[in-house]
């Protein structure tokens, strides 16, 4: 039991934040296990950065408690929390050389100069920036600056790393390589990392645990696979995945089937609470829809246009009642705009949502 | 038939001649007054009444003018010291106050912040000559009349609105994240200000320093009114006092020497800080 407690790295209990009378974070409860890589995702304005900044101590907590490694840090100064943060804009000190940037935190903590030098050398070797130590941030490229910013975090040996959209200032290619770099660092250092991003690919590839936020509330927290394949509600289902999940209007038939346009589909949900003819939504991801022979279980739609992306192809279709449907295809013939196709949706890939967004199971 | 390469070379040559020619011509107009004044200060007494051209001494160099300047009051070194004391004191006090005020206005949230800021800026619209009498009375009450410290305080007061404005802009231009990164690194309060922020607002400080120095160094009216004893005169006041020659004639030689002496520190300060000063004026103009 004692072991169980010490495994918790960051514990947020009923965290709230208000600006004046306006509450923007509405009671967040979250436990982050030691060594986990947790990613906060959500649309802009959902409070993910604010939450991270509250963990860092840069933003005051209106109510609730933050504990890091079992220690209540809610009212502690940022430097005393055992955290380090990497900012989107790098926030390097422009008037200091790279090695001074790396050693600044240790210097402020009155670390022995020889020890500072040793740790700076060690960190710069890990990040392969040892040849840049005498340069100023202004003389570095974006990727190099980001490495220095990460190095500045590592050198302090924090309990928790905080990343605030660290890659969004980099170009696409560099973003991929830095993403891999961060994953490698997490594997090597084994520290707890909390990472804020709006980029789904980053979230899916890096995270042990994804926390989806909306309007200052946690919508779902779980593994990337759990969040993707078993979304808790329509918001999560629509937010995670690109192109987003298709949502089609459907009607509950009362006998375990639903009606979508002309098609009748089996729906493996507990329909006890549903009335006959009640409206609900069928959610299907584009990659789970396949072109098939016509039949009663087939959804028919007209191809509007298609996007060819090399490995995959997206067909943008329209149902008879005007609803749009995106279908991903790996191979098969080219379809021309205007063609009418029948689509099959495997039964285990169907997700059902009530009109208010609740998941129906 | 000339080749295209030759045509291009000729064009480049003409471009260069025009570019440097205009540059040298402009520089000439700016530098000529300095040269005229400086050369004229070496004329002997007998020549000081001559027309300004040619500006150089005809019958050999002489330091008569500098001797005349030095013979007045407590000697040129004392007055130079007075001026330097007031100017450098003004610079340090102005920078110290405006850095703190600018930081406060830029970073902290407090009630009536903008109203207070506008109020400070609004004082720029009051011509200081109009408040000289009350200032005189206040200084007299404080026992600071005819004192260089009193004069310095007056200069600092006059310098502050512009300086606070300048420093607020300088701090506004420093990204918040840098300050936050420093807080995470454990730098707080004064340490944060001195170790991290001060180097970043150096251009602003240089601008404020140059303005404070030049204004205090050249200021005449307040010094004339507030200083009553000869020994305390700053250089501008000394210049008017020394100007009066015999029988109502103007001692042009002494004036030229005074100008030469006064210009040197200004040039020195400007050349020392101009690299920062240019950046300071540009700050915030373009993101």
């Amino acid at each position: 039991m004692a072991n169980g407690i010490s495994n918790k790295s960051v514990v947020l209990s009923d965290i709230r934040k208000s600006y004046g009378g306006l509450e923007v974070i509405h009671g967040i409860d979250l436990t982050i296990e030691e060594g986990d890589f947790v990613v906060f995702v959500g649309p802009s304005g959902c409070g993910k950065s604010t939450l991270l900044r509250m963990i860092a101590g840069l933003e005051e907590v209106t109510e609730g408690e933050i504990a890091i490694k079992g220690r209540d840090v809610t009212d502690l100064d940022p430097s005393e929390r055992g955290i380090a943060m990497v900012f989107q804009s790098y926030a390097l000190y422009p008037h200091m050389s790279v090695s001074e940037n790396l050693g600044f935190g240790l210097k402020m903590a009155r670390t022995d100069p020889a020890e500072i030098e040793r740790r700076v050398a060690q960190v710069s070797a890990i990040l392969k920036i040892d040849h840049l130590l005498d340069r100023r941030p202004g003389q570095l490229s974006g990727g190099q600056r980001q490495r220095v910013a990460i190095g500045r975090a590592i050198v302090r040996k924090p309990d928790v790393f905080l990343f605030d959209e660290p890659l969004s200032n980099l170009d696409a290619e560099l973003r991929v390589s830095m993403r891999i770099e961060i994953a490698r660092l997490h594997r090597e250092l084994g520290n707890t990392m909390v990472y804020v991003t709006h980029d789904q690919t980053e979230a899916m590839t890096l995270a042990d645990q994804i926390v989806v936020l909306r309007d200052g509330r946690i919508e779902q927290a779980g593994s990337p696979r759990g969040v993707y394949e078993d979304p808790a509600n329509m918001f999560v289902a629509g937010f995670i995945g690109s192109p987003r999940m298709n949502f089609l209007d459907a009607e509950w038939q009362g006998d375990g089937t639903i009606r979508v346009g002309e098609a009748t589909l089996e729906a493996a949900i507990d329909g006890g609470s549903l009335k006959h003819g009640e409206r609900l939504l069928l959610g299907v991801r584009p990659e789970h829809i396949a072109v098939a022979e016509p039949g009663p279980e087939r959804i028919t739609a007209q191809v509007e246009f298609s996007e060819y992306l090399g490995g995959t192809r997206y067909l943008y279709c329209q149902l008879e009642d005007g609803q749009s449907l995106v279908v991903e295809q790996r191979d098969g013939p080219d379809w021309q705009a205007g063609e009418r196709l029948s689509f099959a949706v495997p039964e285990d890939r169907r997700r059902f949502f009530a009109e208010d967004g609740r998941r129906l199971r | 038939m000339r080749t295209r390469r030759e045509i291009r070379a000729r064009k480049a040559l003409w471009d260069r001649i025009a570019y440097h020619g205009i540059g040298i011509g402009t520089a000439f107009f700016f530098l000529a007054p300095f040269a005229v004044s400086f050369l004229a200060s070496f004329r002997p007494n007998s020549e000081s009444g001559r027309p300004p051209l040619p500006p150089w001494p005809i019958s050999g160099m002489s330091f008569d003018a500098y001797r005349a300047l030095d013979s007045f009051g407590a000697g040129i070194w004392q007055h130079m010291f007075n001026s330097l004391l007031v100017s450098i004191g003004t610079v340090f006090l102005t920078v110290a106050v405006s850095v703190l005020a600018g930081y406060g206005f830029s970073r902290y949230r407090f009630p009536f912040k903008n109203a207070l800021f506008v109020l400070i800026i609004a004082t720029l619209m009051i011509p200081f000559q109009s408040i000289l009498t009350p200032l005189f009375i206040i200084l007299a009450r404080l026992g600071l009349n005819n004192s260089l410290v009193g004069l310095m305080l007056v200069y600092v007061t006059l310098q502050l609105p512009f300086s606070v404005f300048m420093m607020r802009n300088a701090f506004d231009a420093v990204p918040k994240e840098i300050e936050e990164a420093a807080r995470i690194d454990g730098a707080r309060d004064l340490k944060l200000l001195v170790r991290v922020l001060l180097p970043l607002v150096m251009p602003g400080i240089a601008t404020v320093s140059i303005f404070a120095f030049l204004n205090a160094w050249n200021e005449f009216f307040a010094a004339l009114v507030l200083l009553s004893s000869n020994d305390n005169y700053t250089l501008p006041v000394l210049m008017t006092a020394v100007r009066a020659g015999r029988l109502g004639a103007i001692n042009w030689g002494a004036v030229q020497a005074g100008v030469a002496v006064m210009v040197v520190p200004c040039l020195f300060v400007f050349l020392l800080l101009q690299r920062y000063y240019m950046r300071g004026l540009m700050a915030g103009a373009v993101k």
Side-chain angles (χ1 to χ4, degrees):
Chain A
M1 187 65 205
N3 197 24
I5 289 167
S6 68
N7 274 344
K8 290 182 174 58
S9 181
V10 181
V11 180
L12 309 179
S13 338
D14 196 31
I15 295 294
R16 287 167 194 277
K17 171 81 188 172
S18 335
Y19 292 106
L22 184 72
E23 194 172 81
V24 292
I25 304 279
H26 313 276
I28 299 258
D29 289 294
L30 184 68
T31 303
I32 297 171
E33 301 290 328
E34 180 69 43
D36 256 9
F37 198 121
V38 175
V39 178
F40 294 167
V41 286
S44 50
C46 70
K48 54 190 191 294
S49 277
T50 310
L51 193 58
L52 190 80
R53 291 166 55 83
M54 286 200 283
I55 299 175
L58 297 171
E59 205 80 60
E60 257 176 55
V61 177
T62 313
E63 247 178 82
E65 190 188 291
I66 298 173
I68 293 176
K69 287 234 169 173
R71 196 164 57 110
D72 180 4
V73 299
T74 317
D75 295 311
L76 285 187
D77 194 74
S79 59
E80 292 160 356
R81 295 187 172 206
I83 52 109
M85 187 155 167
V86 178
F87 292 86
Q88 178 179 358
S89 60
Y90 323 131
L92 300 176
Y93 311 122
H95 57 293
M96 297 183 198
S97 70
V98 168
S99 61
E100 285 169 325
N101 261 288
L102 293 174
F104 185 73
L106 297 175
K107 204 165 147 191
M108 286 293 112
R110 301 182 193 284
T111 313
D112 177 47
E115 168 73 5
I116 295 182
E117 203 179 321
R118 200 181 59 75
R119 270 159 73 173
V120 166
Q122 189 188 354
V123 164
S124 54
I126 294 177
L127 290 167
K128 305 183 190 82
I129 48 175
D130 27 11
H131 59 296
L132 305 170
L133 286 179
D134 296 326
R135 297 216 198 149
R136 294 275 172 95
Q139 300 165 299
L140 304 178
S141 71
Q144 291 169 334
R145 284 180 209 182
Q146 194 50 271
R147 277 164 200 269
V148 177
I150 293 171
R152 189 173 60 180
I154 296 175
V155 87
R156 303 184 61 226
K157 297 195 175 160
D159 297 324
V160 181
F161 281 100
L162 306 175
F163 293 91
D164 190 3
E165 307 209 14
L167 304 184
S168 48
N169 276 2
L170 302 176
D171 63 55
E173 203 177 323
L174 208 50
R175 199 149 47 195
V176 174
S177 66
M178 281 307 288
R179 199 173 73 206
I180 294 165
E181 189 94 347
I182 289 175
R184 178 179 70 92
L185 274 175
H186 179 240
R187 214 173 45 238
E188 282 174 15
L189 301 171
N191 289 55
T192 308
M193 297 189 174
V194 184
Y195 189 107
V196 163
T197 182
H198 60 259
D199 184 315
Q200 287 188 28
T201 326
E202 278 172 33
M204 297 299 270
T205 52
L206 289 171
D208 294 319
Q209 194 187 6
I210 287 187
V211 177
V212 185
L213 290 154
R214 176 169 64 155
D215 295 337
R217 287 191 181 82
I218 294 182
E219 293 286 328
Q220 188 174 3
S223 69
R225 188 160 185 166
V227 169
Y228 187 77
E229 295 188 357
D230 191 14
N233 55 43
M234 211 172 126
F235 172 77
V236 176
F239 186 77
I240 303 286
S242 172
R244 68 199 292 266
M245 186 184 261
N246 293 294
F247 295 107
L248 299 176
D249 286 334
E251 202 173 283
W252 177 246
Q253 302 283 69
D255 56 352
T257 61
I258 56 164
R259 226 179 146 67
V260 182
E262 298 300 305
T264 305
L265 301 177
E266 294 281 335
I269 49 172
D270 173 22
S273 61
L274 293 168
K275 291 191 288 287
H276 182 85
E278 194 167 324
R279 308 204 59 78
L280 49 89
L281 289 138
L282 165 68
V284 199
R285 296 212 179 267
E287 69 266 31
H288 296 145
I289 305 176
V291 179
E293 292 297 316
E297 283 234 341
R298 303 285 181 258
I299 297 168
T300 53
Q302 190 169 6
V303 178
E304 292 208 300
F305 64 99
S306 70
E307 270 179 354
Y308 179 73
L309 289 129
T312 55
R313 210 166 1 161
Y314 293 119
L315 298 179
Y316 292 83
C317 311
Q318 197 168 38
L319 267 59
E320 237 143 73
D321 54 2
Q323 298 188 72
S324 53
L325 183 74
V326 183
V327 178
E328 180 183 320
Q329 277 200 307
R330 293 272 159 196
D331 44 28
D334 282 336
W335 302 105
Q336 299 305 319
E339 274 184 272
R340 290 189 62 79
L341 297 174
S342 297
F343 297 104
V345 178
E347 209 177 324
D348 58 337
R349 299 297 192 186
R350 299 169 193 166
R351 305 284 176 267
F352 302 95
F353 302 93
E355 280 208 299
D356 60 6
R358 255 178 322 118
R359 171 88 183 269
L360 297 171
R361 293 172 196 270
Chain B
M1 173 92 185
R2 279 204 302 255
T3 63
R4 295 182 63 162
R5 176 193 289 246
E6 277 168 353
I7 295 170
R8 273 195 214 123
R10 270 181 85 86
K11 190 172 176 307
L13 181 70
W14 280 111
D15 281 354
R16 241 176 291 150
I17 288 172
Y19 179 82
H20 290 287
I22 292 171
I24 290 167
T26 313
F28 174 77
F29 279 105
F30 278 97
L31 292 176
F34 287 97
V36 167
S37 203
F38 192 67
L39 287 171
S41 70
F42 291 109
R43 286 171 165 184
N45 265 345
S46 56
E47 277 182 43
S48 63
R50 284 177 51 87
L53 288 175
W56 51 83
I58 299 167
S59 52
M61 271 218 336
S62 133
F63 290 94
D64 285 354
Y66 289 92
R67 255 175 244 125
L69 188 68
D70 193 32
S71 66
F72 191 88
I76 184 69
W77 293 113
Q78 175 64 41
H79 296 292
M80 183 79 131
F81 173 78
N82 290 348
S83 265
L84 279 177
L85 179 79
V86 170
S87 307
I88 293 174
T90 304
V91 168
F92 276 99
L93 266 180
T94 306
V95 167
V97 176
S98 65
V99 162
L100 294 175
Y103 182 65
F105 274 117
S106 168
R107 286 296 195 264
Y108 291 100
R109 288 171 58 173
F110 51 89
F112 306 115
K113 173 169 133 172
N114 283 325
L116 282 172
F117 189 68
V118 168
L119 197 69
I120 289 178
I121 299 300
T123 57
L124 278 174
M125 289 191 290
I126 302 171
F128 93 97
Q129 290 85 347
S130 68
I131 57 165
L132 209 50
T133 318
L135 272 180
F136 185 85
I137 295 168
I138 292 171
L139 284 184
R141 285 279 163 81
L142 292 171
L144 287 172
N145 55 337
N146 190 27
S147 121
L148 293 172
V149 176
L151 188 64
M152 191 199 299
L153 291 178
V154 171
Y155 288 165
V156 171
T157 313
L158 298 178
Q159 207 52 49
L160 273 179
F162 166 77
S163 306
V164 171
F165 174 72
M166 195 71 214
M167 288 319 297
R168 183 195 178 160
N169 281 355
F171 278 109
D172 278 347
V174 176
K176 245 188 142 117
E177 285 90 354
I178 290 187
E179 206 180 318
E180 290 172 346
R183 278 175 63 199
I184 289 177
D185 271 342
R188 261 190 282 178
D189 308 325
L190 267 184
K191 230 184 201 174
L192 172 73
L193 190 63
V194 175
R195 300 292 285 277
V196 179
L197 296 177
L198 224 47
L200 300 179
V201 295
M202 254 331 265
I205 292 178
T207 310
V208 165
S209 303
I210 286 179
F211 273 79
F213 185 88
L214 294 186
N215 285 346
W217 182 261
N218 292 326
E219 208 285 332
F220 168 69
F221 193 52
L224 182 72
V225 172
L226 298 173
L227 300 175
S228 47
S229 75
N230 275 2
D231 287 357
N232 276 343
Y233 280 0
T234 53
L235 286 175
V237 185
L238 176 79
M239 294 268 292
T240 42
V242 109
R243 194 188 55 166
R246 285 188 196 89
L247 306 171
I250 290 175
N251 187 348
W252 285 115
V255 172
Q256 303 286 27
V259 167
V261 167
M262 278 196 68
V263 159
V264 173
C266 295
L267 279 181
F268 181 72
V269 167
F270 187 77
L271 291 179
L272 193 73
L273 296 178
Q274 59 105 14
R275 197 166 60 97
Y276 290 111
Y277 168 68
M278 290 305 167
R279 276 200 282 156
L281 280 190
M282 295 293 288
V286 179
K287 187 74 186 162

